[in-house]
Amino acid sequence: MSVMNSDYRVETAGRAPRQAANSKKTFWRYVWFHRYLYLMLAPALAYYLIFHYIPMYGAIVAFKDFSITKGILGSDWAGFKHFAYLFSQDKFWQVIKNTIIISLYRLTFGFPAPIIVALLMNEVRSRLFKQTVQTAIYLPHFISWVILGGLLLNLLSTDNGVVNNVIRAFGGTSVGFMSDESYFRSTLVFSMIWKEFGWNTIIYMAALAGINPQLYEAALIDGANRWQRLMHVTLPLMRGTIILLLILRLGGIMEAGFEQIFVLYHPGVYSVSDIIDTYVYRIGLTEGRFSLAAAVGLFKSLINFALLVLANRLARMMGEQGVY
């Protein structure tokens, strides 16, 4: 019996390296077969490696009293001093509150907008009308916030803005869309939706294009009306795409749109518009408190990571694949 066991162990021990070698050869053969696809993927991988992964080394600045003359490695360790300072500041919690509120507004009103537009566009039968509308709603995405900010100032200015001129022409009073704290957040969310909803519609239009037309024909034969086909065919087949994009949006809930807010805000509306990114910009670049800015950025990244993991977990509980 012992001889048989020893022979089995020798046989299996020799089999494992052969299986590993064969698996390795299979992997490289697969990579070589799809070499052109991996070649197309290389620029994206290089981008994330250079601009996202290598800079993670600088996160240790948050735990140091950083000095430009000493460098990252030469600066003295500070431990959690900068985090303790941040958590003791009322301004920091105000910035967190503004970021979450603006992000939730963007998510609540901005996320459903491209879905609704994609569903409406899917029902349009005139190709010319569909192409015209698509071009009109896609165009703002390609315009920078610097240009759009100037347009919004001209449109919404309390003095000579087009919108306020119309309001005054009908007997109303001027509205401070860009200067009044009670209107500024709504202006941010509306302008964001206007700029981005058309581009995000492309993703949902692609998902709709992948639905088998025979499913609609079967539903029509069964007597389903337009609303029933939408609820029982279209939306269930779009569910995976919607949940995937929702996970990505939840994972970036602490990203409230730096470029847009940086272009549009001013000290008069800091109390409702100052977000984490603009706060980091001010204390990091304008005040030179690099360690403090790094601590804020690291805290934001940890919150985003936790939200991404939580959202992905909830998606898996709902039967979807998630992002990993």
Side-chain angles (χ1 to χ4, degrees):
M1 186 69 178
S2 60
V3 175
M4 294 179 61
N5 289 337
S6 62
D7 292 341
Y8 175 77
R9 286 195 294 269
V10 171
E11 182 181 354
T12 54
R15 188 186 307 163
R18 287 197 299 270
Q19 290 178 346
N22 292 335
S23 177
K24 189 174 182 180
K25 289 180 181 179
T26 303
F27 170 76
W28 287 112
R29 191 180 298 114
Y30 177 84
V31 172
W32 177 253
F33 182 78
H34 297 284
R35 57 189 180 277
Y36 297 114
L37 294 178
Y38 282 102
L39 186 62
M40 294 172 61
L41 185 63
L45 294 176
Y47 166 78
Y48 280 99
L49 178 65
I50 296 172
F51 295 103
H52 290 269
Y53 285 96
I54 294 179
M56 287 183 181
Y57 159 76
I60 62 175
V61 173
F63 304 96
K64 289 194 169 192
D65 286 324
F66 177 71
S67 172
I68 296 179
T69 57
K70 295 180 180 180
I72 295 178
L73 295 178
S75 299
D76 299 329
W77 284 99
F80 292 94
K81 181 181 75 173
H82 301 297
F83 293 94
Y85 174 79
L86 282 175
F87 297 153
S88 65
Q89 299 296 308
D90 293 336
K91 177 62 178 176
F92 175 72
W93 295 111
Q94 180 64 40
V95 166
I96 296 292
K97 177 183 175 182
N98 290 338
T99 304
I100 294 175
I101 291 176
I102 293 175
S103 294
L104 289 179
Y105 281 173
R106 290 162 63 104
L107 181 65
T108 303
F109 299 103
F111 186 78
I115 301 175
I116 296 172
V117 174
L119 294 174
L120 293 175
M121 294 293 293
N122 190 54
E123 298 297 326
V124 175
R125 294 295 173 260
S126 173
R127 184 173 181 180
L128 178 61
F129 178 77
K130 181 184 292 188
Q131 291 177 344
T132 303
V133 173
Q134 286 176 337
T135 302
I137 63 178
Y138 294 168
L139 185 61
H141 172 78
F142 299 98
I143 304 175
S144 71
W145 274 114
V146 176
I147 298 175
L148 286 180
L151 291 175
L152 288 173
L153 288 174
N154 289 328
L155 289 172
L156 304 178
S157 173
T158 54
D159 297 328
N160 296 312
V162 176
V163 175
N164 277 308
N165 285 340
V166 173
I167 293 175
R168 286 193 294 267
F170 283 93
T173 58
S174 298
V175 178
F177 295 103
M178 305 294 292
S179 57
D180 192 335
E181 294 180 353
S182 59
Y183 290 98
F184 190 77
R185 284 176 179 162
S186 301
T187 304
L188 286 177
V189 175
F190 174 79
S191 59
M192 183 278 301
I193 296 174
W194 171 54
K195 184 178 187 297
E196 299 296 341
F197 84 95
W199 179 256
N200 293 330
T201 302
I202 295 176
I203 301 175
Y204 298 107
M205 290 291 290
L208 289 170
I211 299 177
N212 191 343
Q214 294 180 353
L215 296 175
Y216 290 110
E217 295 174 2
L220 189 61
I221 293 174
D222 290 338
N225 57 32
R226 189 181 298 271
W227 177 256
Q228 290 172 330
R229 295 197 298 271
L230 171 67
M231 297 301 297
H232 299 288
V233 178
T234 305
L235 288 180
L237 293 176
M238 289 180 63
R239 176 181 170 182
T241 303
I242 293 173
I243 291 179
L244 177 61
L245 295 178
L246 181 60
I247 292 172
L248 296 177
R249 288 291 297 271
L250 290 175
I253 200 74
M254 303 301 284
E255 305 283 347
F258 168 76
E259 185 179 0
Q260 177 194 14
I261 295 176
F262 183 73
V263 169
L264 297 178
Y265 86 149
H266 52 82
V269 293
Y270 273 1
S271 60
V272 296
S273 63
D274 196 18
I275 61 173
I276 293 177
D277 291 333
T278 55
Y279 183 64
V280 168
Y281 170 81
R282 285 204 314 278
I283 66 175
L285 294 181
T286 62
E287 300 180 12
R289 304 163 72 181
F290 301 106
S291 296
L292 198 59
V296 178
L298 184 59
F299 175 78
K300 182 190 76 170
S301 299
L302 291 175
I303 297 298
N304 281 338
F305 176 75
L307 290 173
L308 178 62
V309 172
L310 178 60
N312 189 76
R313 178 63 178 171
L314 292 176
R316 286 185 172 275
M317 292 173 62
M318 296 172 62
E320 299 296 332
Q321 291 184 349
V323 294
Y324 64 87

